[in-house]
Amino acid sequence: MIPLTYYLIFSAMLFCIGVYGVLARRNSIMILVSIELMLNAVNINLVAFSAYLRGDDPIGQMFSLFAIAVGAGEIGVGLAIILNLYRLRNTINIDQIDFLKW
Amino acid sequence: MEFTLIIPEIIVFLTATAILILDLILQQEKQKKLLGFAAEAGVILAIAQLVRMFALGQQASSWGLLTIDTFGHVIKIILLVSTGLVILLSVDYFKTIISRKGEYYCLILFSVVGMMFMVSADNFISFFLSLQLTSIPLYILSGIDKNDARSNEAAYKYLMLGMLASVVMLYGMTFIYGFTAAANFEGIARQLTSLDLHENPILLIAMIFIFAGFAFKVAAVPFHFWVPDTYEGAPTPVTSFLATAPKVAGFAALIRLLTIAFSPLIAQWRTLFIILSILSMSVGNIVALSQTNIKRMLGFSSVAHVGYILMAFAIADQMAVSAAIFYLMIYGIVNIGTFAVIASVMRGEDHQIQGLAGLSKRSPLMSLSVAVFMISMIGIPPTPGFWGKFNLFASVVNGGMTWLAVIGIINSIISVYYYINVLRYVYGDQEIGNQQDKQARRPADPAADGLNNIPCLMRLAVVISLALTIIIATYPQPFIELAKAAAVALKTGLWL
Amino acid sequence: MQLVIFFVLAAITTVAGIIMVSADNIARSIYSHVLALLGIAGIYLLLYAEFMAGVQVLVYAGGVSIMLLFALMLTKPAKGVIRALDHPRRVPAFITAVVLFGLLSFSIFQAKWPLKVEPSRVMTPEVIGKSMFADYVLPFEIVSVILLVALIGAVVIGVKGREDTDDEE
């Protein structure tokens, strides 16, 4: 059988790959996608816990479903903002988005 | 099902939906003002209901994944009062800048519903979802001025960092859930008491991730980077909303989380908050010194104020928590007042501090308000800011961390400079002489004709904020008692 | 046997993830993202979470990915393939990610999880549905409001050119 820790390590790996993506990527859509990968890693955690905890608790899976819905919504709004950004400046490279200085 | 417990939230929610529908029916521009009034009416109705529930003094009750208690009532009243002022401010501000007023009001109201649920949440699920319901409208509102590149950039940065913070926080929550097999705060506390933190470092990491999400929401250092850009870029009424309501709600939810769910781990998180507090106070105050844009300056000043409030979390006894709640009350009103003045006086301009030059000659009311608010933020008696800071520092000393209070006092002294700097322009003799300053004050929006014609509703917002500030300054005791009642109502093992 | 399937799926997903964050051609990056999402759906099947797997494919691999591709197409430069141009921050980002992973896996191994040996098989959609609509109705409603807000937001910010329908100033 597959020990729980394997799933947890796997999801930690995906989470950290996502972190790398958020920090290193310059294109805005790619940053969004990396955040989405992190969200998926979190969902794996939730579902795995829900399956392996004593007591047959559906909370983890339900929480995960809600998280998917909310994540999809946020990405929708994010893409709308990015589209507007592109409309105004013709670029979505975050190095070039600096009208507001630090 | 006890729906009566969440009537205030339902009222606000129904108002939001009503506004959406009304927006479809009222096609003419002139009638759109009605939407603002409808929103205001909904808010006032909800406040009335909350006051009634507070006066009835019910015991705390659990419904769904919420705990409705007096703590929640008090915080929600603070939230709704702030929202009411912001809506008042917005009705005339947006006359020409944006065209989608219906959506604007309903987004604010939906966000408030999220905040109200967040304050009452006693389960990770309801907390996380209400946090999202709070945040997503705020992202949209920051960028609602579609054609302004800075507004759009503000929304972009806020959303990106906000999503990141939410995901990190959720990750932390999953580990706590995994360990305790519970998502509700009381269950978590019960499980945590039997666990040892040293054997399980993952709990500490999970806790840090969760606090990172919170720190982002309330803008504590080192998670405050979104603040200057978002505050500067978003339309001023939106900034006034951002600077007050989410912080109040965020702190309230944090109080509930810490005192109920994480109460067994108090020794660990007290240290974390000491660090967060010192960082926020210092960075906020020091960077504010160099700002020339007044909205950015206020952004960093709010980071500093968050630092002061975090001091209370380093102590986390009943006195400290009630001091924090009282400070939040004052902070909310004074901040909205300040932004109301900025919105009235500087509509469509570039928001440089110099733009306020000579305000005393042009409008005595506005100058007086700014003076009162700035002095309150410094914390000089007899302003309410003084009472707030005094309470906070007293509770910190009472908790045995006098050195922390000293750091707070030093930081308040540092903050004198940049608050007085504003007043220097307002009351100073520098008329706007040279061409450069005249350029900075040229309105970007031709219909907003600067100072000559401040709409009466915006003036009303400023007057109400000023009045509330003076009332709290003269009679602070009832408000302090209110904050205390809220803190006492929390059913926590820490001081039961 | 299950262990083999797990490692295969994990390997595919991880490799897809790595390609996603480092590919220079952004379209290729999104395709490998879809592959990673499908791999995760497979992992859900291993955990006997069939409903989750179905939702994952429908919402993420099906919906969100298409949305991303659309957005990508709408924001591309005047000509040529969309390039990533990531150079400046790669090394510190990599170090951060590796350090974080090290910390997390160490802590995960150290911890004493209170758990069973086999994943439970009772999480049918029926169980989830009963729980959701009996105990967790409020979060469900909140999610529906969130989705409404997201819709409003997308329209308010994303849709172009409605300003000229205002008839009076």
Side-chain angles (χ1 to χ4, degrees):
Chain A
M1 287 302 109
I2 310 171
L4 173 66
T5 36
Y6 286 21
Y7 286 108
L8 297 182
I9 304 278
F10 171 59
S11 87
M13 183 145 28
L14 286 180
F15 189 79
C16 295
I17 294 178
V19 167
Y20 171 77
V22 168
L23 293 175
R25 280 297 201 179
R26 303 289 96 199
N27 185 307
S28 311
I29 296 185
M30 282 293 100
I31 301 180
L32 261 184
V33 171
S34 307
I35 297 182
E36 208 195 302
L37 186 64
M38 290 164 78
L39 191 57
N40 271 292
V42 171
N43 281 340
I44 297 180
N45 244 10
L46 279 173
V47 174
F49 279 132
S50 168
Y52 276 91
L53 283 175
R54 297 193 203 101
D56 283 351
D57 216 354
I59 294 187
Q61 280 199 30
M62 257 194 340
F63 204 171
S64 182
L65 285 169
F66 292 144
I68 289 185
V70 169
E74 268 186 323
I75 290 188
V77 175
L79 287 178
I81 293 182
I82 291 180
L83 278 179
N84 203 19
L85 197 67
Y86 181 75
R87 210 179 290 148
L88 289 174
R89 294 175 209 240
N90 227 24
T91 173
I92 55 175
N93 186 319
I94 80 167
D95 286 329
Q96 295 168 356
I97 300 179
D98 56 0
F99 281 8
L100 304 169
K101 50 179 190 9
W102 196 87
Chain B
M1 289 280 195
E2 281 287 351
F3 287 112
T4 48
L5 288 172
I6 58 167
I7 286 188
E9 285 90 343
I10 295 181
I11 293 179
V12 180
F13 174 74
L14 287 177
T15 317
T17 7
I19 290 181
L20 267 183
I21 299 178
L22 269 178
D23 193 23
L24 288 175
I25 302 178
L26 302 174
Q27 287 298 338
Q28 286 195 331
E29 257 322 293
K30 294 252 171 44
Q31 296 170 319
K32 298 278 189 187
K33 257 204 189 175
L34 208 61
L35 296 171
F37 294 134
E40 195 70 56
V43 168
I44 295 181
L45 206 59
I47 295 181
Q49 176 64 15
L50 274 170
V51 171
R52 221 197 74 189
M53 287 167 79
F54 173 74
L56 283 177
Q58 296 161 322
Q59 277 292 346
S61 10
S62 271
W63 184 81
L65 304 172
L66 308 171
T67 301
I68 311 287
D69 55 4
T70 312
F71 173 75
H73 293 327
V74 171
I75 303 283
K76 288 177 203 176
I77 294 179
I78 302 176
L79 282 175
L80 286 170
V81 168
S82 319
T83 313
L85 284 171
V86 169
I87 294 181
L88 202 57
L89 192 60
S90 318
V91 174
D92 282 323
Y93 183 88
F94 283 122
K95 213 184 301 246
T96 47
I97 299 183
I98 62 167
S99 57
R100 296 191 168 273
K101 298 178 189 55
E103 283 87 349
Y104 174 82
Y105 295 120
C106 95
L107 284 172
I108 289 193
L109 290 178
F110 278 138
S111 183
V112 172
V113 173
M115 290 186 216
M116 288 165 82
F117 280 135
M118 193 161 89
V119 165
S120 292
D122 69 353
N123 185 308
F124 270 151
I125 297 184
S126 53
F127 166 70
F128 177 73
L129 290 178
S130 38
L131 177 66
Q132 295 308 309
L133 181 56
T134 307
S135 316
I136 296 183
L138 292 177
Y139 304 148
I140 304 169
L141 283 169
S142 312
I144 203 161
D145 192 355
K146 270 169 40 177
N147 299 314
D148 180 5
R150 291 181 311 172
S151 172
N152 185 258
E153 185 181 332
Y156 169 71
K157 290 191 177 157
Y158 191 20
L159 178 131
M160 290 295 187
L161 292 172
M163 275 187 77
L164 188 60
S166 303
V167 174
V168 166
M169 184 188 230
L170 191 59
Y171 197 47
M173 286 193 215
T174 59
F175 284 119
I176 305 271
Y177 163 66
F179 245 107
T180 58
N184 61 325
F185 290 174
E186 291 183 350
I188 292 176
R190 243 174 305 159
Q191 295 296 322
L192 282 178
T193 41
S194 52
L195 284 173
D196 181 9
L197 200 61
H198 294 297
E199 278 183 24
N200 302 307
I202 193 75
L203 283 177
L204 187 63
I205 295 184
M207 222 171 46
I208 294 181
F209 277 14
I210 297 181
F211 292 157
F214 266 113
F216 172 85
K217 198 76 207 135
V218 302
V221 177
F223 304 103
H224 69 291
F225 291 105
W226 59 278
V227 164
D229 291 343
T230 308
Y231 279 30
E232 183 190 341
T236 312
V238 173
T239 310
S240 74
F241 191 54
L242 278 180
T244 47
K247 286 206 219 283
V248 172
F251 271 121
L254 186 63
I255 290 175
R256 218 187 265 281
L257 179 72
L258 289 175
T259 53
I260 301 183
F262 286 163
S263 48
L265 301 175
I266 183 168
Q268 280 77 26
W269 49 258
R270 277 173 70 168
T271 332
L272 285 174
F273 280 110
I274 295 179
I275 302 176
L276 278 179
S277 166
I278 298 181
L279 280 176
S280 303
M281 285 194 281
S282 321
V283 170
N285 275 315
I286 294 179
V287 182
L289 290 173
S290 63
Q291 297 302 317
T292 52
N293 180 308
I294 193 165
K295 283 161 74 170
R296 277 179 104 86
M297 183 203 96
L298 285 172
F300 281 111
S301 114
S302 70
V303 171
H305 285 289
V306 163
Y308 301 135
I309 298 177
L310 284 172
M311 277 196 307
F313 287 92
I315 309 287
D317 60 9
Q318 184 181 311
M319 190 177 164
V321 170
S322 54
I325 298 176
F326 180 56
Y327 197 85
L328 278 171
M329 277 186 214
I330 302 169
Y331 165 81
I333 297 194
V334 170
N335 249 300
I336 291 193
T338 317
F339 278 112
V341 171
I342 296 175
S344 315
V345 169
M346 290 169 130
R347 269 181 308 156
E349 291 173 20
D350 199 28
H351 300 118
Q352 296 296 317
I353 300 185
Q354 301 136 289
L356 285 175
L359 187 61
S360 54
K361 300 185 184 56
R362 293 182 273 138
S363 168
L365 171 67
M366 295 291 160
S367 336
L368 176 66
S369 313
V370 171
V372 170
F373 295 141
M374 291 292 118
I375 296 183
S376 180
M377 289 216 222
I378 299 177
I380 298 178
T383 56
F386 168 72
W387 292 115
K389 284 206 173 144
F390 178 73
N391 260 353
L392 264 180
F393 294 148
S395 71
V396 171
V397 171
N398 191 35
M401 294 205 200
T402 318
W403 57 273
L404 191 59
V406 168
I407 296 183
I409 297 179
I410 296 178
N411 269 294
S412 302
I413 299 179
I414 296 179
S415 72
V416 170
Y417 175 73
Y418 58 84
Y419 288 128
I420 296 292
N421 191 32
V422 173
L423 294 180
R424 199 161 60 87
Y425 279 101
V426 170
Y427 281 107
D429 270 333
Q430 310 154 251
E431 206 16 282
I432 305 179
N434 53 23
Q435 200 54 30
Q436 218 174 2
D437 283 345
K438 275 217 170 68
Q439 205 75 345
R441 279 200 64 240
R442 196 168 34 119
D445 174 19
D449 46 5
L451 198 52
N452 306 336
N453 196 12
I454 303 179
C456 68
L457 282 177
M458 295 171 81
R459 224 189 289 256
L460 185 63
V462 175
V463 165
I464 295 182
S465 313
L466 188 61
L468 280 172
T469 314
I470 296 181
I471 291 177
I472 302 185
T474 347
Y475 302 108
Q477 211 50 36
F479 296 96
I480 298 181
E481 290 301 317
L482 201 62
K484 198 148 160 244
V488 166
L490 282 171
K491 284 200 325 199
T492 163
L494 288 181
W495 54 74
L496 201 64
Chain C
M1 182 55 202
Q2 274 199 339
L3 207 58
V4 171
I5 302 182
F6 172 75
F7 277 118
V8 167
L9 279 173
I12 295 179
T13 314
T14 316
V15 167
I18 295 181
I19 295 180
M20 184 205 90
V21 293
S22 51
D24 204 33
N25 181 336
I26 295 192
R28 194 163 293 164
S29 186
I30 295 193
Y31 299 145
S32 51
H33 179 60
V34 175
L35 184 60
L37 293 173
L38 291 175
I40 295 179
I43 300 277
Y44 287 152
L45 283 176
L46 268 182
L47 285 168
Y48 297 103
E50 301 91 0
F51 187 58
M52 281 300 303
V55 169
Q56 173 89 354
V57 172
L58 274 175
V59 172
Y60 268 129
V64 173
S65 312
I66 306 290
M67 211 164 54
L68 287 167
L69 278 172
F70 267 117
L72 189 65
M73 290 304 130
L74 285 171
T75 56
K76 62 185 199 167
K79 62 176 186 225
V81 175
I82 306 159
R83 297 238 157 257
L85 309 164
D86 285 344
H87 306 298
R89 307 243 183 111
R90 283 185 150 161
V91 174
F94 183 69
I95 298 179
T96 316
V98 166
V99 165
L100 187 63
F101 181 60
L103 264 174
L104 283 171
S105 15
F106 169 72
S107 316
I108 291 176
F109 270 125
Q110 269 264 353
K112 301 184 178 53
W113 302 101
L115 38 71
K116 311 193 290 236
V117 182
E118 259 204 43
S120 69
R121 301 177 189 223
V122 301
M123 302 295 172
T124 57
E126 184 189 350
V127 169
I128 299 178
K130 266 201 194 144
S131 177
M132 189 185 289
F133 291 105
D135 305 321
Y136 294 90
V137 184
L138 184 67
F140 177 74
E141 297 297 338
I142 296 181
V143 170
S144 66
V145 178
I146 292 177
L147 291 176
L148 173 65
V149 169
L151 192 60
I152 296 177
V155 168
V156 164
I157 298 191
V159 173
K160 178 158 73 155
R162 285 293 177 87
E163 288 79 75
D164 22 53
T165 64
D166 276 359
D167 28 9
E168 48 205 81
E169 283 273 297

